[in-house]
Amino acid sequence: MVVWAQVSWRKLERTVYKLQKRIYQASVRGDVKAVHKLQKTLLNSWSAKMLAVRKVTQDNQGKNTAGIDGQKALTPKARLTLVEKLEISRKSTPIRRVWIPKPGKTEKRPLGIPTITERAKQALVKLALEPEWEAKFEPNSYGFRPGRSCMDAIEGIKAAIKQKSKYALDADIAKCFDKIDHKKLLGKINTFPKLRRQIKAWLKSGVYDGRTWFPTEEGTPQGGIIYPLLANIALHGMEKIVKEFARTLPGKKSHNESQISLVRYADDFVILHPKLEVVMKAKALIEEFLHEIGLELRPEKTRITHTLEKIGKETPGFDFLGFNIRQYPVGKYATGKNTHGKPLGYKTYVKPSKKAIKIHYQRLANEIDKLKSCRSQIELIKRLNPIITGWSNYYSKVNSAKVFQDLDNLLTWKLISWTKARHQHKSTKRWIRKYFGIKDGSSWVFRAVTENKNLYLVYHGDFHIQKYVKVKGEVSPYNSDLTYWATRMGKSAELPTRVSKLLKKQKGKCTECGMYFRDGDVMEVDHVIPRSQGGVDNYKNYQLLHRHCHDIKTKRDGTHEKSQIIEEPCDVKISSTVLEPSHVGDNVA
């Protein structure tokens, strides 16, 4: 325990990050020999092994989830033992399959849970493999990549249709994670033999569903640390195909290339172009590309529409990642037509999709119905506030003001029904005074009167619409500009307001270790002076720490307070209230 606690983690992180930067730079140059040599060095590095073990045994939420061997939550001594025996090999233990419900659906999704040892090996391999592929990935690929999120994909689409309305192919790949051809994937990774054998062993390890073992002849299981990266590698090249196709069209090559766009978030993607026939040909090319790696489009979730005009029975616009993207005629030319019969003026609006709104409101209504018999409204407010805050934070970067207003109206009526059900024989004025108060000029704010102060419900309208700045096209967290990435984290749409303020206050650094917070780090809001020692709940007494740094501080202070945990599993989602792509949240192991 003493040895693990006394490790200079700051030094280890710097050592590994320097190697990762060199791998990234060698990959940018196209120096394959140097990339493989540096990757071998990193895989054999004691520093990298220590960080990999710390990630899966201390930081990840899945540290308390056991694989088929039943091991979880290792002690410091066991962690060091794991580091000593952590080696890349040609073997792998099978994964354990569990079934989790899909958000808003009755069907369930299979989740694969590797053992702690395999998770540590996967974390180690990801440290070596990710920098190489971050130098290769296309600029409009956003899913499961460090420093990129759903909002970046949405801003990429907005930029593509800003100057001109376009036809859109909104497509989804059927069973992407379950059908990827292993041979094609390994050929695409094109790494050195030892690492290839290890990745092949993970792909072929099989799964235990209950007590029954099933072979895995295709696909990448959802749940491991390395599998999202492997899926991204398998789908790499889609944007290049449509860009090369556009250059073959009549006209200026550079103009044709700029007219077509492919924006991809994991297995969801959209193709945009002013001409329908070009979109159709691009779709055929993508289908051919997917067929080569064992995949195909899902017909029921694939549609061609136009951002501004109605096509047959298809309404204008499309839904993507829980957002609705559509253009509306505006201004004095809104009803005017050009020589082609199309509207002359339009404006692009991005709003929460109807499906996202419905699921969110249904969750709020279910929580209110569950607590009809609770003694006070304090519990109800405490249950609703995090749900409203997470969802509103996420959608506050688009045109959501009207949606927020409508949701608040529905929520108010639902709360009125909740209060009526509790006081059927009392006058309306009496229960209105008890449950609703005045705040910021509004007289219908749900509240709870406590001994010290009033506790108010957070409303969607409390969140102001803010502009989101898209990530620069081909920049990477491995390009040494840590200040840029720390600043972006502080402005992230997925982070709660308190965490964003603390990131800005601490200039993107952890106050315990002094290292920059990086994408994927698990953060905890901690009290500088513990509440058990008289600490108060305000920003002067808050600090933001890595989870492992918080463990160190807790042991040093001799306290065991529960702090607010802020995580970013996979890419973007920090709250289950947000309607994300169907696969987001799989990487819990």
Side-chain angles (χ1 to χ4, degrees):
M1 182 180 293
V2 174
V3 174
W4 185 267
Q6 291 181 347
V7 170
S8 176
W9 295 105
R10 184 188 181 106
K11 184 176 180 180
L12 301 191
E13 288 186 20
R14 284 182 172 176
T15 300
V16 171
Y17 185 64
K18 284 180 180 178
L19 274 173
Q20 288 180 312
K21 283 195 298 182
R22 292 176 64 190
I23 293 170
Y24 174 81
Q25 291 163 357
S27 184
V28 170
R29 298 194 306 269
D31 191 344
V32 178
K33 186 176 180 180
V35 168
H36 291 173
K37 184 178 180 180
L38 290 166
Q39 286 176 333
K40 291 175 184 177
T41 303
L42 192 146
L43 292 172
N44 292 321
S45 165
W46 180 80
S47 299
K49 292 178 180 179
M50 287 287 286
L51 292 178
V53 170
R54 185 184 69 175
K55 183 175 183 63
V56 301
T57 60
Q58 279 189 281
D59 287 349
N60 284 4
Q61 192 69 16
K63 65 182 180 181
N64 293 316
T65 307
I68 62 170
D69 60 355
Q71 277 194 329
K72 58 182 180 180
L74 301 182
T75 62
K77 185 177 180 181
R79 293 172 200 155
L80 288 171
T81 303
L82 178 57
V83 171
E84 291 173 3
K85 68 176 185 179
L86 200 64
E87 293 291 339
I88 302 302
S89 64
R90 63 177 67 194
K91 296 181 180 180
S92 173
T93 54
I95 63 177
R96 180 171 70 91
R97 175 173 289 168
V98 296
W99 295 87
I100 60 172
K102 290 186 176 181
K105 298 180 181 179
T106 55
E107 59 181 307
K108 294 186 177 182
R109 180 191 303 122
L111 193 65
I113 311 296
T115 62
I116 286 283
T117 301
E118 296 303 328
R119 277 179 253 174
K121 284 200 285 186
Q122 289 182 13
L124 178 62
V125 170
K126 188 180 179 183
L127 288 174
L129 205 59
E130 190 172 66
E132 174 193 356
W133 281 93
E134 275 299 306
K136 298 178 180 179
F137 283 143
E138 293 154 329
N140 284 309
S141 166
Y142 298 99
F144 300 138
R145 291 185 60 190
R148 285 163 169 78
S149 67
C150 289
M151 280 306 308
D152 291 307
I154 298 301
E155 289 295 324
I157 294 173
K158 283 179 65 178
I161 61 177
K162 183 179 180 180
Q163 302 295 333
K164 198 169 188 179
S165 60
K166 295 182 179 181
Y167 289 92
L169 169 69
D170 177 21
D172 179 68
I173 301 172
K175 297 182 178 179
C176 176
F177 291 89
D178 301 329
K179 296 292 184 180
I180 293 175
D181 185 280
H182 289 173
K183 188 175 180 180
K184 294 287 185 182
L185 173 59
L186 291 169
K188 207 166 186 178
I189 295 173
N190 192 29
T191 189
F192 52 92
K194 187 175 183 179
L195 185 53
R196 176 190 168 91
R197 288 193 293 266
Q198 179 64 81
I199 295 173
K200 184 178 180 180
W202 286 329
L203 295 174
K204 302 288 186 182
S205 63
V207 299
Y208 271 102
D209 195 342
R211 295 186 177 182
T212 307
W213 181 82
F214 297 93
T216 49
E217 298 299 330
E218 59 185 6
T220 59
Q222 301 179 57
I225 292 174
I226 194 71
Y227 299 126
L229 174 61
L230 298 183
N232 252 348
I233 293 172
L235 297 175
H236 172 67
M238 293 172 64
E239 187 176 356
K240 181 182 177 183
I241 286 175
V242 298
K243 291 290 186 182
E244 289 179 347
F245 160 67
R247 286 196 288 269
T248 64
L249 296 173
K252 194 174 181 180
K253 290 183 178 181
S254 59
H255 175 73
N256 289 336
E257 186 178 345
S258 65
Q259 287 290 298
I260 195 166
S261 302
L262 186 146
V263 177
R264 181 173 68 85
Y265 188 96
D267 59 345
D268 294 328
F269 67 93
V270 60
I271 298 176
L272 301 157
H273 194 273
K275 295 182 179 180
L276 178 60
E277 58 271 22
V278 174
V279 173
M280 295 298 293
K281 289 179 182 178
K283 178 188 175 185
L285 289 172
I286 292 299
E287 286 178 323
E288 184 181 342
F289 167 84
L290 293 174
H291 180 73
E292 291 178 358
I293 56 176
L295 300 175
E296 61 182 5
L297 296 181
R298 187 179 300 175
E300 64 272 18
K301 287 195 175 182
T302 300
R303 60 189 289 256
I304 294 179
T305 183
H306 193 269
T307 57
L308 180 62
E309 300 173 340
K310 185 177 181 180
I311 304 178
K313 295 182 180 179
E314 294 287 351
T315 57
F318 58 93
D319 291 346
F320 192 68
L321 306 180
F323 297 87
N324 177 261
I325 302 159
R326 180 177 172 179
Q327 292 172 328
Y328 296 84
V330 295
K332 64 179 182 178
Y333 297 112
T335 57
K337 302 284 184 178
N338 59 18
T339 55
H340 300 288
K342 295 183 179 180
L344 296 174
Y346 63 85
K347 190 170 184 179
T348 303
Y349 283 94
V350 180
K351 305 175 183 178
S353 68
K354 290 182 179 179
K355 186 177 179 181
I357 297 168
K358 182 179 178 180
I359 290 177
H360 174 60
Y361 176 71
Q362 192 61 53
R363 184 177 181 191
L364 293 175
N366 290 341
E367 290 292 335
I368 294 171
D369 290 338
K370 285 179 187 176
L371 298 174
K372 275 186 176 179
S373 59
C374 68
R375 294 183 179 180
S376 71
Q377 59 268 40
I378 295 175
E379 184 180 351
L380 179 60
I381 291 174
K382 288 183 177 180
R383 291 285 288 273
L384 294 181
N385 276 357
I387 299 173
I388 296 171
T389 299
W391 198 87
S392 302
N393 253 331
Y394 185 74
Y395 286 106
S396 64
K397 302 297 187 292
V398 295
N399 309 105
S400 304
K402 182 65 167 60
V403 173
F404 286 177
Q405 182 182 352
D406 293 342
L407 279 169
D408 285 340
N409 289 337
L410 289 171
L411 183 60
T412 300
W413 282 110
K414 188 68 179 177
L415 291 170
I416 289 173
S417 299
W418 181 82
T419 58
K420 282 183 176 180
R422 291 165 58 86
H423 304 287
Q424 295 179 3
H425 303 292
K426 292 184 180 179
S427 67
T428 304
K429 289 183 179 180
R430 185 172 177 182
W431 58 253
I432 285 178
R433 286 195 300 269
K434 180 178 180 181
Y435 292 99
F436 293 91
I438 299 174
K439 183 186 178 185
D440 298 330
S442 176
S443 58
W444 283 94
V445 180
F446 194 72
R447 64 172 182 176
V449 181
T450 62
E451 295 180 359
N452 300 325
K453 59 181 180 179
N454 289 342
L455 178 64
Y456 290 99
L457 179 70
V458 174
Y459 284 84
H460 302 84
D462 295 338
F463 294 84
H464 301 291
I465 306 304
Q466 301 171 358
K467 183 177 175 59
Y468 183 84
V469 180
K470 179 181 172 292
V471 66
K472 295 177 183 177
E474 296 181 351
V475 298
S476 169
Y478 302 106
N479 64 355
S480 302
D481 194 356
L482 292 178
T483 305
Y484 171 77
W485 293 104
T487 303
R488 278 194 61 81
M489 283 184 67
K491 297 177 181 178
S492 173
E494 290 97 33
L495 287 181
T497 304
R498 181 165 63 164
V499 178
S500 297
K501 287 183 178 180
L502 290 174
L503 275 171
K504 184 176 180 180
K505 176 184 175 184
Q506 297 173 197
K507 297 181 179 179
K509 294 183 179 181
C510 172
T511 54
E512 180 71 23
C513 66
M515 298 293 291
Y516 280 104
F517 288 106
R518 295 171 62 188
D519 186 83
D521 286 348
V522 183
M523 299 175 282
E524 294 189 2
V525 178
D526 175 65
H527 291 79
V528 179
I529 302 174
R531 283 175 291 189
S532 59
Q533 299 175 12
V536 294
D537 290 326
N538 59 36
Y539 280 100
K540 291 183 180 179
N541 196 40
Y542 288 150
Q543 62 180 347
L544 200 60
L545 306 177
H546 293 103
R547 174 178 283 178
H548 47 265
C549 292
H550 181 259
D551 291 344
I552 295 171
K553 180 182 178 294
T554 300
K555 290 177 182 177
R556 185 175 65 241
D557 295 345
T559 61
H560 298 279
E561 291 191 352
K562 184 179 179 181
S563 296
Q564 180 184 350
I565 299 171
I566 310 299
E567 294 190 47
E568 291 187 83
C570 296
D571 282 274
V572 308
K573 194 171 98 172
I574 59 105
S575 170
S576 58
T577 62
V578 177
L579 176 65
E580 297 285 356
S582 59
H583 46 264
V584 173
D586 292 340
N587 190 26
V588 298

PDB file of all heavy atoms in Angstrom, residues 181-202:
ATOM      1  N   ASP A 181     -15.688  -7.893 -39.929  1.00  0.00           N
ATOM      2  CA  ASP A 181     -14.850  -9.020 -40.339  1.00  0.00           C
ATOM      3  C   ASP A 181     -13.480  -8.927 -39.661  1.00  0.00           C
ATOM      4  O   ASP A 181     -12.765  -7.933 -39.820  1.00  0.00           O
ATOM      5  CB  ASP A 181     -14.687  -9.010 -41.865  1.00  0.00           C
ATOM      6  CG  ASP A 181     -13.936 -10.215 -42.385  1.00  0.00           C
ATOM      7  OD1 ASP A 181     -12.692 -10.213 -42.303  1.00  0.00           O
ATOM      8  OD2 ASP A 181     -14.587 -11.162 -42.864  1.00  0.00           O
ATOM      9  N   HIS A 182     -13.108  -9.948 -38.909  1.00  0.00           N
ATOM     10  CA  HIS A 182     -11.856  -9.924 -38.140  1.00  0.00           C
ATOM     11  C   HIS A 182     -10.635  -9.835 -39.051  1.00  0.00           C
ATOM     12  O   HIS A 182      -9.684  -9.086 -38.760  1.00  0.00           O
ATOM     13  CB  HIS A 182     -11.758 -11.173 -37.268  1.00  0.00           C
ATOM     14  CG  HIS A 182     -12.717 -11.164 -36.118  1.00  0.00           C
ATOM     15  ND1 HIS A 182     -12.901 -12.243 -35.279  1.00  0.00           N
ATOM     16  CD2 HIS A 182     -13.547 -10.197 -35.659  1.00  0.00           C
ATOM     17  CE1 HIS A 182     -13.808 -11.939 -34.361  1.00  0.00           C
ATOM     18  NE2 HIS A 182     -14.211 -10.710 -34.576  1.00  0.00           N
ATOM     19  N   LYS A 183     -10.632 -10.609 -40.123  1.00  0.00           N
ATOM     20  CA  LYS A 183      -9.467 -10.636 -41.010  1.00  0.00           C
ATOM     21  C   LYS A 183      -9.232  -9.272 -41.651  1.00  0.00           C
ATOM     22  O   LYS A 183      -8.100  -8.780 -41.727  1.00  0.00           O
ATOM     23  CB  LYS A 183      -9.671 -11.709 -42.086  1.00  0.00           C
ATOM     24  CG  LYS A 183      -8.437 -11.945 -42.949  1.00  0.00           C
ATOM     25  CD  LYS A 183      -8.666 -13.099 -43.916  1.00  0.00           C
ATOM     26  CE  LYS A 183      -7.425 -13.334 -44.772  1.00  0.00           C
ATOM     27  NZ  LYS A 183      -7.637 -14.459 -45.737  1.00  0.00           N
ATOM     28  N   LYS A 184     -10.322  -8.648 -42.108  1.00  0.00           N
ATOM     29  CA  LYS A 184     -10.203  -7.322 -42.727  1.00  0.00           C
ATOM     30  C   LYS A 184      -9.736  -6.284 -41.696  1.00  0.00           C
ATOM     31  O   LYS A 184      -8.932  -5.409 -42.008  1.00  0.00           O
ATOM     32  CB  LYS A 184     -11.552  -6.903 -43.307  1.00  0.00           C
ATOM     33  CG  LYS A 184     -12.034  -7.753 -44.467  1.00  0.00           C
ATOM     34  CD  LYS A 184     -11.242  -7.474 -45.722  1.00  0.00           C
ATOM     35  CE  LYS A 184     -11.821  -8.257 -46.895  1.00  0.00           C
ATOM     36  NZ  LYS A 184     -11.036  -8.031 -48.142  1.00  0.00           N
ATOM     37  N   LEU A 185     -10.253  -6.392 -40.472  1.00  0.00           N
ATOM     38  CA  LEU A 185      -9.874  -5.441 -39.431  1.00  0.00           C
ATOM     39  C   LEU A 185      -8.400  -5.561 -39.091  1.00  0.00           C
ATOM     40  O   LEU A 185      -7.684  -4.551 -39.016  1.00  0.00           O
ATOM     41  CB  LEU A 185     -10.723  -5.680 -38.176  1.00  0.00           C
ATOM     42  CG  LEU A 185     -10.349  -4.872 -36.930  1.00  0.00           C
ATOM     43  CD1 LEU A 185     -10.425  -3.376 -37.208  1.00  0.00           C
ATOM     44  CD2 LEU A 185     -11.251  -5.239 -35.764  1.00  0.00           C
ATOM     45  N   LEU A 186      -7.913  -6.788 -38.919  1.00  0.00           N
ATOM     46  CA  LEU A 186      -6.496  -6.997 -38.584  1.00  0.00           C
ATOM     47  C   LEU A 186      -5.595  -6.516 -39.718  1.00  0.00           C
ATOM     48  O   LEU A 186      -4.520  -5.963 -39.473  1.00  0.00           O
ATOM     49  CB  LEU A 186      -6.250  -8.481 -38.286  1.00  0.00           C
ATOM     50  CG  LEU A 186      -6.875  -9.004 -36.993  1.00  0.00           C
ATOM     51  CD1 LEU A 186      -6.812 -10.524 -36.938  1.00  0.00           C
ATOM     52  CD2 LEU A 186      -6.180  -8.411 -35.775  1.00  0.00           C
ATOM     53  N   GLY A 187      -6.043  -6.724 -40.958  1.00  0.00           N
ATOM     54  CA  GLY A 187      -5.263  -6.234 -42.097  1.00  0.00           C
ATOM     55  C   GLY A 187      -5.206  -4.715 -42.124  1.00  0.00           C
ATOM     56  O   GLY A 187      -4.189  -4.129 -42.504  1.00  0.00           O
ATOM     57  N   LYS A 188      -6.279  -4.082 -41.705  1.00  0.00           N
ATOM     58  CA  LYS A 188      -6.334  -2.619 -41.697  1.00  0.00           C
ATOM     59  C   LYS A 188      -5.461  -2.040 -40.591  1.00  0.00           C
ATOM     60  O   LYS A 188      -4.834  -0.982 -40.763  1.00  0.00           O
ATOM     61  CB  LYS A 188      -7.783  -2.172 -41.509  1.00  0.00           C
ATOM     62  CG  LYS A 188      -8.096  -0.819 -42.083  1.00  0.00           C
ATOM     63  CD  LYS A 188      -9.598  -0.604 -42.161  1.00  0.00           C
ATOM     64  CE  LYS A 188      -9.923   0.681 -42.872  1.00  0.00           C
ATOM     65  NZ  LYS A 188     -11.385   0.890 -43.002  1.00  0.00           N
ATOM     66  N   ILE A 189      -5.445  -2.700 -39.432  1.00  0.00           N
ATOM     67  CA  ILE A 189      -4.596  -2.222 -38.333  1.00  0.00           C
ATOM     68  C   ILE A 189      -3.132  -2.284 -38.733  1.00  0.00           C
ATOM     69  O   ILE A 189      -2.340  -1.387 -38.414  1.00  0.00           O
ATOM     70  CB  ILE A 189      -4.853  -3.068 -37.064  1.00  0.00           C
ATOM     71  CG1 ILE A 189      -6.284  -2.856 -36.575  1.00  0.00           C
ATOM     72  CG2 ILE A 189      -3.870  -2.695 -35.959  1.00  0.00           C
ATOM     73  CD1 ILE A 189      -6.684  -3.773 -35.432  1.00  0.00           C
ATOM     74  N   ASN A 190      -2.736  -3.372 -39.425  1.00  0.00           N
ATOM     75  CA  ASN A 190      -1.402  -3.485 -40.016  1.00  0.00           C
ATOM     76  C   ASN A 190      -0.290  -3.164 -39.011  1.00  0.00           C
ATOM     77  O   ASN A 190       0.580  -2.328 -39.260  1.00  0.00           O
ATOM     78  CB  ASN A 190      -1.293  -2.565 -41.236  1.00  0.00           C
ATOM     79  CG  ASN A 190      -0.043  -2.841 -42.066  1.00  0.00           C
ATOM     80  OD1 ASN A 190       0.443  -3.973 -42.092  1.00  0.00           O
ATOM     81  ND2 ASN A 190       0.486  -1.814 -42.705  1.00  0.00           N
ATOM     82  N   THR A 191      -0.322  -3.829 -37.876  1.00  0.00           N
ATOM     83  CA  THR A 191       0.684  -3.593 -36.850  1.00  0.00           C
ATOM     84  C   THR A 191       1.703  -4.730 -36.830  1.00  0.00           C
ATOM     85  O   THR A 191       1.616  -5.672 -37.628  1.00  0.00           O
ATOM     86  CB  THR A 191       0.010  -3.428 -35.479  1.00  0.00           C
ATOM     87  OG1 THR A 191       0.972  -2.998 -34.530  1.00  0.00           O
ATOM     88  CG2 THR A 191      -0.658  -4.716 -35.020  1.00  0.00           C
ATOM     89  N   PHE A 192       2.640  -4.684 -35.927  1.00  0.00           N
ATOM     90  CA  PHE A 192       3.688  -5.707 -35.861  1.00  0.00           C
ATOM     91  C   PHE A 192       3.114  -7.017 -35.298  1.00  0.00           C
ATOM     92  O   PHE A 192       2.087  -7.016 -34.601  1.00  0.00           O
ATOM     93  CB  PHE A 192       4.880  -5.222 -35.043  1.00  0.00           C
ATOM     94  CG  PHE A 192       4.555  -4.692 -33.685  1.00  0.00           C
ATOM     95  CD1 PHE A 192       4.574  -5.527 -32.572  1.00  0.00           C
ATOM     96  CD2 PHE A 192       4.225  -3.356 -33.498  1.00  0.00           C
ATOM     97  CE1 PHE A 192       4.275  -5.046 -31.310  1.00  0.00           C
ATOM     98  CE2 PHE A 192       3.926  -2.862 -32.242  1.00  0.00           C
ATOM     99  CZ  PHE A 192       3.959  -3.711 -31.150  1.00  0.00           C
ATOM    100  N   PRO A 193       3.750  -8.155 -35.591  1.00  0.00           N
ATOM    101  CA  PRO A 193       3.159  -9.479 -35.302  1.00  0.00           C
ATOM    102  C   PRO A 193       2.707  -9.700 -33.859  1.00  0.00           C
ATOM    103  O   PRO A 193       1.638 -10.259 -33.622  1.00  0.00           O
ATOM    104  CB  PRO A 193       4.281 -10.452 -35.679  1.00  0.00           C
ATOM    105  CG  PRO A 193       5.069  -9.722 -36.718  1.00  0.00           C
ATOM    106  CD  PRO A 193       5.030  -8.283 -36.320  1.00  0.00           C
ATOM    107  N   LYS A 194       3.513  -9.283 -32.890  1.00  0.00           N
ATOM    108  CA  LYS A 194       3.165  -9.550 -31.489  1.00  0.00           C
ATOM    109  C   LYS A 194       1.859  -8.865 -31.095  1.00  0.00           C
ATOM    110  O   LYS A 194       0.997  -9.474 -30.447  1.00  0.00           O
ATOM    111  CB  LYS A 194       4.299  -9.072 -30.578  1.00  0.00           C
ATOM    112  CG  LYS A 194       4.116  -9.463 -29.116  1.00  0.00           C
ATOM    113  CD  LYS A 194       5.332  -9.064 -28.290  1.00  0.00           C
ATOM    114  CE  LYS A 194       5.159  -9.519 -26.838  1.00  0.00           C
ATOM    115  NZ  LYS A 194       6.349  -9.167 -26.021  1.00  0.00           N
ATOM    116  N   LEU A 195       1.700  -7.613 -31.482  1.00  0.00           N
ATOM    117  CA  LEU A 195       0.483  -6.886 -31.156  1.00  0.00           C
ATOM    118  C   LEU A 195      -0.696  -7.416 -31.963  1.00  0.00           C
ATOM    119  O   LEU A 195      -1.815  -7.496 -31.454  1.00  0.00           O
ATOM    120  CB  LEU A 195       0.686  -5.389 -31.430  1.00  0.00           C
ATOM    121  CG  LEU A 195      -0.468  -4.459 -31.024  1.00  0.00           C
ATOM    122  CD1 LEU A 195      -0.869  -4.667 -29.574  1.00  0.00           C
ATOM    123  CD2 LEU A 195      -0.089  -3.005 -31.257  1.00  0.00           C
ATOM    124  N   ARG A 196      -0.454  -7.809 -33.192  1.00  0.00           N
ATOM    125  CA  ARG A 196      -1.514  -8.385 -34.025  1.00  0.00           C
ATOM    126  C   ARG A 196      -2.064  -9.657 -33.381  1.00  0.00           C
ATOM    127  O   ARG A 196      -3.282  -9.868 -33.331  1.00  0.00           O
ATOM    128  CB  ARG A 196      -0.980  -8.692 -35.421  1.00  0.00           C
ATOM    129  CG  ARG A 196      -1.993  -9.376 -36.320  1.00  0.00           C
ATOM    130  CD  ARG A 196      -1.326  -9.881 -37.600  1.00  0.00           C
ATOM    131  NE  ARG A 196      -2.209 -10.776 -38.330  1.00  0.00           N
ATOM    132  CZ  ARG A 196      -3.059 -10.395 -39.278  1.00  0.00           C
ATOM    133  NH1 ARG A 196      -3.157  -9.124 -39.607  1.00  0.00           N
ATOM    134  NH2 ARG A 196      -3.822 -11.270 -39.899  1.00  0.00           N
ATOM    135  N   ARG A 197      -1.161 -10.509 -32.871  1.00  0.00           N
ATOM    136  CA  ARG A 197      -1.609 -11.759 -32.242  1.00  0.00           C
ATOM    137  C   ARG A 197      -2.451 -11.489 -30.999  1.00  0.00           C
ATOM    138  O   ARG A 197      -3.416 -12.200 -30.721  1.00  0.00           O
ATOM    139  CB  ARG A 197      -0.394 -12.628 -31.891  1.00  0.00           C
ATOM    140  CG  ARG A 197       0.290 -13.260 -33.090  1.00  0.00           C
ATOM    141  CD  ARG A 197       1.271 -14.335 -32.677  1.00  0.00           C
ATOM    142  NE  ARG A 197       2.413 -13.782 -31.964  1.00  0.00           N
ATOM    143  CZ  ARG A 197       3.556 -13.444 -32.544  1.00  0.00           C
ATOM    144  NH1 ARG A 197       3.715 -13.598 -33.862  1.00  0.00           N
ATOM    145  NH2 ARG A 197       4.556 -12.952 -31.834  1.00  0.00           N
ATOM    146  N   GLN A 198      -2.081 -10.450 -30.232  1.00  0.00           N
ATOM    147  CA  GLN A 198      -2.841 -10.121 -29.032  1.00  0.00           C
ATOM    148  C   GLN A 198      -4.247  -9.606 -29.389  1.00  0.00           C
ATOM    149  O   GLN A 198      -5.235 -10.018 -28.781  1.00  0.00           O
ATOM    150  CB  GLN A 198      -2.105  -9.069 -28.205  1.00  0.00           C
ATOM    151  CG  GLN A 198      -2.836  -8.637 -26.950  1.00  0.00           C
ATOM    152  CD  GLN A 198      -3.018  -9.753 -25.950  1.00  0.00           C
ATOM    153  OE1 GLN A 198      -2.115 -10.086 -25.191  1.00  0.00           O
ATOM    154  NE2 GLN A 198      -4.202 -10.345 -25.923  1.00  0.00           N
ATOM    155  N   ILE A 199      -4.327  -8.720 -30.376  1.00  0.00           N
ATOM    156  CA  ILE A 199      -5.629  -8.206 -30.794  1.00  0.00           C
ATOM    157  C   ILE A 199      -6.496  -9.329 -31.356  1.00  0.00           C
ATOM    158  O   ILE A 199      -7.704  -9.412 -31.075  1.00  0.00           O
ATOM    159  CB  ILE A 199      -5.454  -7.074 -31.827  1.00  0.00           C
ATOM    160  CG1 ILE A 199      -4.749  -5.873 -31.184  1.00  0.00           C
ATOM    161  CG2 ILE A 199      -6.800  -6.645 -32.401  1.00  0.00           C
ATOM    162  CD1 ILE A 199      -4.375  -4.775 -32.154  1.00  0.00           C
ATOM    163  N   LYS A 200      -5.896 -10.229 -32.122  1.00  0.00           N
ATOM    164  CA  LYS A 200      -6.636 -11.363 -32.665  1.00  0.00           C
ATOM    165  C   LYS A 200      -7.161 -12.251 -31.543  1.00  0.00           C
ATOM    166  O   LYS A 200      -8.298 -12.759 -31.604  1.00  0.00           O
ATOM    167  CB  LYS A 200      -5.734 -12.167 -33.602  1.00  0.00           C
ATOM    168  CG  LYS A 200      -6.466 -13.314 -34.294  1.00  0.00           C
ATOM    169  CD  LYS A 200      -5.537 -14.057 -35.254  1.00  0.00           C
ATOM    170  CE  LYS A 200      -6.286 -15.212 -35.935  1.00  0.00           C
ATOM    171  NZ  LYS A 200      -5.393 -15.946 -36.872  1.00  0.00           N
ATOM    172  N   ALA A 201      -6.354 -12.441 -30.498  1.00  0.00           N
ATOM    173  CA  ALA A 201      -6.785 -13.255 -29.359  1.00  0.00           C
ATOM    174  C   ALA A 201      -8.004 -12.640 -28.677  1.00  0.00           C
ATOM    175  O   ALA A 201      -8.929 -13.355 -28.274  1.00  0.00           O
ATOM    176  CB  ALA A 201      -5.638 -13.407 -28.369  1.00  0.00           C
ATOM    177  N   TRP A 202      -8.025 -11.312 -28.534  1.00  0.00           N
ATOM    178  CA  TRP A 202      -9.192 -10.636 -27.939  1.00  0.00           C
ATOM    179  C   TRP A 202     -10.429 -10.819 -28.803  1.00  0.00           C
ATOM    180  O   TRP A 202     -11.522 -11.055 -28.299  1.00  0.00           O
ATOM    181  CB  TRP A 202      -8.900  -9.154 -27.749  1.00  0.00           C
ATOM    182  CG  TRP A 202      -7.975  -8.864 -26.614  1.00  0.00           C
ATOM    183  CD1 TRP A 202      -7.839  -9.581 -25.452  1.00  0.00           C
ATOM    184  CD2 TRP A 202      -7.038  -7.785 -26.526  1.00  0.00           C
ATOM    185  NE1 TRP A 202      -6.882  -9.007 -24.652  1.00  0.00           N
ATOM    186  CE2 TRP A 202      -6.379  -7.899 -25.284  1.00  0.00           C
ATOM    187  CE3 TRP A 202      -6.695  -6.734 -27.366  1.00  0.00           C
ATOM    188  CZ2 TRP A 202      -5.398  -7.004 -24.862  1.00  0.00           C
ATOM    189  CZ3 TRP A 202      -5.714  -5.830 -26.958  1.00  0.00           C
ATOM    190  CH2 TRP A 202      -5.078  -5.977 -25.713  1.00  0.00           C
TER     191      TRP A 202
END
